[in-house]
Amino acid sequence: MKVSKLKKFDAAEHLRTPAARAEYLNIVLADGDPAEVRDALNLVARAQGMSKIAKAAGVTREGLYKTLGENGNPEFATVLRIIAAMGIRLTAAPARAKPSPKAAALR
């Protein structure tokens, strides 16, 4: 089979359940890279349907594409509305403390 005949891979097609979408976002949020978080929100929004998420978040579909696009820089309030529209709850957990050099030396 020719490579040109292969279907283009779209990760959004594999985020079918709310649990899978939440787990994916948790993994990306753990890294803390803002661009990756924005891209992950874009992917999850596409998995659920951009129009549906835009409507629930109170933004236009075009605005959602722009906000979550490569050059987007959404405000935190917008991120919270998008996450809520996805049916996902943002929570906090203690970060694992990195051992100080002194503590590591005492081991």
Side-chain angles (χ1 to χ4, degrees), residues 8-51:
K8 185 177 176 183
F9 177 78
D10 185 1
E13 294 175 5
H14 300 279
L15 297 174
R16 295 184 180 111
T17 67
R21 293 187 289 266
E23 178 68 20
Y24 174 65
L25 286 175
N26 276 329
I27 291 167
V28 174
L29 285 166
D31 286 342
D33 182 312
E36 287 182 13
V37 171
R38 184 202 60 228
D39 292 345
L41 290 171
N42 185 318
L43 185 67
V44 172
R46 286 190 305 106
Q48 291 184 263
M50 290 295 257
S51 295

Side-chain angles (χ1 to χ4, degrees), residues 39-95:
D39 292 345
L41 290 171
N42 185 318
L43 185 67
V44 172
R46 286 190 305 106
Q48 291 184 263
M50 290 295 257
S51 295
K52 175 185 165 188
I53 298 302
K55 184 176 181 179
V59 298
T60 64
R61 183 175 165 270
E62 294 79 17
L64 186 60
Y65 272 108
K66 184 176 179 180
T67 297
L68 299 180
E70 189 175 325
N71 296 318
N73 189 17
E75 292 184 10
F76 190 64
T78 304
V79 170
L80 291 177
R81 286 196 323 267
I82 292 168
I83 288 172
M86 293 174 172
I88 294 172
R89 183 178 57 225
L90 191 60
T91 60

